[in-house]
Amino acid sequence: MSDDFVLDVTKIRDEARRKMEAGPVTDAYGLDKDRVIGILNDVIATEVVCWLRYTRHAISASGIDRAQVSSEFTEHAKEEMQHALRAAERVSQLGADPDFDPASLAQRAHTDYTTPPDNDLKAMLEHNLLAERIVIASYQEIIRWLGEHDPTTRRLMESILEEEEEHADDLVDLIGV
């Protein structure tokens, strides 16, 4: 096995000085930055819609198991909002403005906003589990697409994915599947 790694620090320094306005995005960035920003803005929309759905379900839930289910929905809602904010921060790092436009959130989101009857905790749990499964599948695809080309965004998405998988597991436990 040969060790053919060569690092031209002089060239890297010169390039960094010439393109300082690009912030953290260097010539080594391996993807179409605008495409990544668009995908991240869709992730923001997805996470905000999930936050809205969980929040609505937490507030409107009723019935004998309301306290436990509502508490779980509230916890998930907080984490979904944090996911949106983390994705928004990455969009900003990439030199763009995060898209929180309420007029397009539902169209850009990977999941739906649902409002089952207040007394149907099982339907709420199932709707949220379905949404989590959609998010898990779509985020896995995003992570595969990012590959080694944008490790920072990939790690962000992997950490969000890990929490989404935990959400799905929590919901399965509550449903009793």
Side-chain angles (χ1 to χ4, degrees):
M1 183 170 158
S2 70
D3 184 5
D4 59 353
F5 178 74
V6 177
L7 188 62
D8 187 344
V9 176
T10 302
K11 179 181 174 186
I12 291 170
R13 288 177 182 167
D14 291 343
E15 190 67 22
R17 282 186 191 95
R18 276 195 305 278
K19 297 184 178 180
M20 288 183 50
E21 74 283 351
V25 180
T26 66
D27 287 345
Y29 189 80
L31 292 171
D32 176 351
K33 183 179 70 160
D34 292 333
R35 181 73 178 121
V36 173
I37 290 166
I39 289 168
L40 285 170
N41 274 320
D42 290 351
V43 168
I44 292 167
T46 300
E47 295 296 332
V48 170
V49 167
C50 288
W51 170 75
L52 290 167
R53 186 184 55 257
Y54 272 124
T55 300
R56 198 264 187 200
H57 292 177
I59 292 168
S60 64
S62 65
I64 194 164
D65 294 321
R66 180 210 182 279
Q68 180 183 12
V69 172
S70 180
S71 175
E72 197 67 38
F73 288 164
T74 299
E75 179 184 327
H76 289 191
K78 288 177 187 174
E79 290 173 352
E80 302 294 357
M81 184 50 66
Q82 284 304 308
H83 297 165
L85 294 173
R86 290 170 59 205
E89 180 63 30
R90 183 62 181 153
V91 167
S92 180
Q93 288 172 350
L94 292 172
D97 292 324
D99 187 352
F100 285 97
D101 183 359
S104 66
L105 283 174
Q107 292 86 13
R108 293 183 293 116
H110 301 176
T111 61
D112 295 325
Y113 177 84
T114 61
T115 56
D118 295 350
N119 64 347
D120 195 346
L121 294 180
K122 185 172 185 194
M124 289 180 188
L125 289 163
E126 289 172 346
H127 286 218
N128 284 303
L129 177 57
L130 175 62
E132 293 294 355
R133 290 180 49 78
I134 291 166
V135 165
I136 289 166
S138 63
Y139 289 6
Q140 287 171 337
E141 289 296 318
I142 292 168
I143 291 164
R144 279 191 278 279
W145 177 75
L146 290 166
E148 297 301 318
H149 304 292
D150 182 346
T152 303
T153 303
R154 185 193 70 240
R155 284 191 312 270
L156 166 69
M157 293 303 301
E158 286 171 343
S159 90
I160 292 172
L161 174 62
E162 181 180 1
E163 289 187 358
E164 300 296 2
E165 290 174 344
E166 289 172 11
H167 292 175
D169 189 52
D170 293 342
L171 295 168
V172 165
D173 288 346
L174 286 168
I175 293 171
V177 177

